[in-house]
Structure formats: structure tokens, C-alpha cells
Amino acid sequence: MGKQSSVKCLILGSGPAGYTAAIYAARAGLKPVLYTGAQPGGQLTITTEVENFPGYPEGVLGPQMMEDLRTQAERFNTEINYGLATAVDFSKRPFKVTIDEQTEILAETVIVATGASAKWLGLDSEKRLNGHGVSACAVCDGFFFKGQDVVIVGGGDTACEEASYLSKICNKVYMLVRRDELRASRIMQKRVLSTPNIDVLFNHSTVEILGDKGVTGVLVKNHHTGEKRELNATGFFVAIGHQPNTDIFKGWLDMDESGYLITKPGTTQTNIPGVFAAGDVQDKVYRQAVTAAGTGCMAALEAERFLVAEESAE
Ligand code: NDP
């Protein structure tokens, strides 16, 4: 396949970063092709209300917002396909990207907007009961445990925020923290520790989530005393951080020790000219829909300028 037949701008990912990049690239005439990844619409599709995205004074449901972004990208003729990038070859241009281990796409520029995914503890019971009482999103699923007792794992800002959210809906929230202190900011620590129905269990870990068709309890262990006990709970929330979706870029793109892609400060440029990164895949600090959308816009503008500069040099 020759240079002419390759896609000018390939976008990987369908969160706010990917769709915003698509809107800008399409309006600039790059005829972008977008592959959605495994979770079309990204993390916001597992959220309920989004109240902090500018332009929605009454708030908007996460899945609705992603539908709106998709419709807007399609309006300017972005080609949107279902599929997951499973391998890349960035050794020369056009870049080669394999989708679902079978389709090969040649691309002049690539915008990586593959986002981040929630981390899990890795227990069998966690996998088995996922969606049946086990969740990584309190805001999405807390409602189902109204008036009940639940467990949340983690000691960061996310866990504190979610514990606080759950405390308003549930009867009691057990918070399992693996160390003897919380990682969260002082203000969040204070909030959690002063909420009467949040019981913070320091030095505790999860041995097993109990239940057959749904969660009926959680077996926990105190590291200091070695004591194991069962907590009565019907919900189990995991809030131990996120993992950037960058496995396929290892060896090609520079990343930090946690796997987040490194971009040149103030830009979305990766170490490979013509490959740009936008959204949570390169942001472990802000991780907001609006910042992801902002960097998606930057990536499309940079891809366009990159191609223009190249054309005028030819
Ligand atoms: P963090 O990485 O900050 O915290 C993860 C927490 O989970 C830590 O307490 C960690 O323990 C614990 N943990 C990790 N792995 C395990 C495990 N296998 N078993 C048990 N516990 C585990 O992630 P967050 O998602 O909380 O936050 C990410 C970033 O986003 C942070 O910079 C945070 O400040 C920011 N954020 C800010 C908010 C705000 O300002 N409103 C809201 C939410 C997030 P340990 O401490 O021992 O490593």
C-alpha cells in the first residue's frame, strides 16, 4: 500500500479527547478515521451526572454527553469504527496500526486518546461478582445500595470522594486502607474521618468478597494483628487508581514509570513526530473531561500543522 492510500489522521479512542480531536481534524479537512477502543465513549459512559463540563448548566448524563460528542464528530464526516488497536509499528511513516489483530491501517498521523482504566485488586471473587455488587464507580452504582452497608477500598482522593458520596446514600461505609494513613489530601482526609457513618479501617486488606450471585459480605484482614473478620456488606467498591491504556505503545512511545505517555510540555507531541497524545493517557493530574477535550483539540491542530509543514517542505 503506498503513501497516498493511507489515512491522514487516525484517532485511537472515543472519550472526550478522541471525539474532540475528531471534530477539529474533520473540520480541518483531514478526513479522520476514529477507532472507539473496547469501551465506546470511554470512562464517562460509566458515570451518571456530569455537572462540571462547561455548556451544560443543568448537568448532563455521562453517556448522553458522549453521544452528543459522537454526533458532533459524525456531523463533520469523521469515520467512526468499532475496534481496538492491538499493535502499532511506528518505525516509519505511514505508521502501521493493527485493529483487532486483523485490520491494518496506514496513517500519516496518529492521535492516541486511549485513556485510562480503573485498577482492580485482582481477586477471583472480584471478577466473578463484577456488576453484581462489585463496582469501580461509586457515583455510577452507589444508588443501587441505598440504605445498605458497603465497603470501599483505597485511601486516595478518589476513594475519599467516593466514600463521602456513598455515606450520603448508604447506611454504613467501611473504608479499607492498606497502610496506617490515607494518601488523600488533608481536606478529604478530614471529611472522611469526621463522617459518622464512614468507618475507616487502617492496615486492612481484602481477603475475599463473599457471595454467590451477589455480594453478601467481605472477608478482611488486619495486617498488624493478623485477625480476619467478615464485614456485612452488599456492595464492594474499588477505588485504587487508574492504569493508562498504553501497553501497545511500549517500546515506541516514551512513558513515565506508571505508563502515562510523556508529551513535550505545552504540546501533545510524543517522542515520535506525527504521533500525538491527548486525554487521560497522558494526564494523571487533572483527568477531567474538559481537560481531555482541550488536549484533543490541541492534538488535532498539531496534526494538521504537522501535515501542512510537511507538504510545504515537499
Ligand atoms: P491514588 O493513586 O492517589 O490512590 C490510590 C489509593 O489506593 C492509595 O491509597 C493506595 O494505597 C491504594 N491502593 C493502590 N493499590 C491498592 C491495592 N492493590 N490494594 C489496596 N489499596 C490500594 O489514586 P486516586 O484515584 O485516588 O487519585 C489519582 C489522582 O487524582 C491523585 O493525584 C488525586 O489527588 C487526584 N484526584 C483528585 C481529586 C480532587 O482533587 N477532587 C479527586 C480524585 C482524584 P497507598 O497509599 O498505600 O499506595
Side-chain angles (χ1 to χ4, degrees):
M1 211 183 275
K3 199 176 173 183
Q4 272 73 29
S5 58
S6 64
V7 166
K8 272 192 177 172
C9 179
L10 177 67
I11 299 168
L12 303 177
S14 56
Y19 281 144
T20 305
I23 293 164
Y24 272 79
R27 293 187 78 249
L30 300 188
K31 296 193 176 69
V33 172
L34 180 149
Y35 277 86
T36 58
Q39 190 177 11
Q43 289 188 74
L44 278 168
T45 58
I46 55 160
T47 320
T48 47
E49 195 82 1
V50 179
E51 294 183 331
N52 53 10
F53 198 88
Y56 290 101
E58 304 302 325
V60 60
L61 292 174
Q64 181 60 51
M65 189 172 104
M66 297 322 298
E67 203 46 51
D68 290 347
L69 280 171
R70 183 191 168 109
T71 307
Q72 195 172 352
E74 278 173 335
R75 180 176 153 208
F76 301 109
N77 296 327
T78 301
E79 182 186 322
I80 298 176
N81 300 309
Y82 292 100
L84 177 71
T86 46
V88 297
D89 180 349
F90 289 160
S91 59
K92 58 178 192 301
R93 296 183 56 229
F95 302 120
K96 227 186 268 175
V97 176
T98 310
I99 306 291
D100 293 333
E101 289 171 4
Q102 44 190 358
T103 312
E104 216 165 68
I105 312 276
L106 295 179
E108 293 302 315
T109 61
V110 177
I111 295 177
V112 178
T114 50
S117 305
K119 281 190 202 165
W120 296 96
L121 296 174
L123 298 169
D124 284 345
S125 50
E126 176 189 54
K127 210 178 277 173
R128 187 168 47 80
L129 292 163
N130 199 331
H132 301 277
V134 172
S135 164
C137 178
V139 180
C140 324
D141 299 323
F143 177 77
F144 301 118
F145 304 94
K146 205 170 175 191
Q148 300 172 38
D149 292 356
V150 297
V151 171
I152 183 162
V153 185
D157 279 321
T158 304
C160 286
E161 229 173 57
E162 299 207 336
S164 189
Y165 176 85
L166 289 168
S167 72
K168 297 187 186 92
I169 304 171
C170 303
N171 178 54
K172 187 175 182 107
V173 180
Y174 295 101
M175 188 166 174
L176 302 186
V177 180
R178 67 177 172 183
R179 287 188 295 136
D180 58 2
E181 61 176 353
L182 293 162
R183 179 183 288 273
S185 53
R186 287 264 172 259
I187 184 166
M188 290 309 291
Q189 295 196 20
K190 212 170 147 197
R191 188 177 303 172
V192 157
L193 294 169
S194 63
T195 304
N197 65 338
I198 299 178
D199 190 356
V200 183
L201 302 176
F202 289 104
N203 302 305
H204 273 73
S205 61
T206 313
V207 179
E208 211 59 75
I209 307 159
L210 309 171
D212 188 15
K213 291 199 171 69
V215 175
T216 54
V218 180
L219 187 62
V220 299
K221 183 178 175 179
N222 181 323
H223 301 305
H224 281 179
T225 61
E227 182 210 356
K228 282 185 190 172
R229 68 174 164 134
E230 192 182 322
L231 302 175
N232 278 323
T234 48
F236 186 83
F237 292 90
V238 182
I240 60 170
H242 287 79
Q243 180 73 42
N245 299 317
T246 53
D247 278 359
I248 61 165
F249 306 111
K250 281 190 181 131
W252 297 108
L253 300 181
D254 289 346
M255 36 186 96
D256 70 9
E257 67 289 348
S258 312
Y260 285 89
L261 298 186
I262 295 173
T263 51
K264 200 170 137 199
T267 77
T268 60
Q269 295 161 26
T270 67
N271 54 304
I272 297 193
V275 179
F276 305 88
D280 285 8
V281 75
Q282 52 85 57
D283 171 21
K284 62 176 171 189
V285 180
Y286 303 104
R287 307 185 311 133
Q288 298 301 301
V290 68
T291 48
T295 52
C297 156
M298 286 165 65
L301 292 176
E302 287 182 83
E304 184 202 358
R305 283 172 198 161
F306 176 85
L307 291 169
V308 168
E310 198 171 55
E311 269 164 33
S312 50
E314 271 171 12

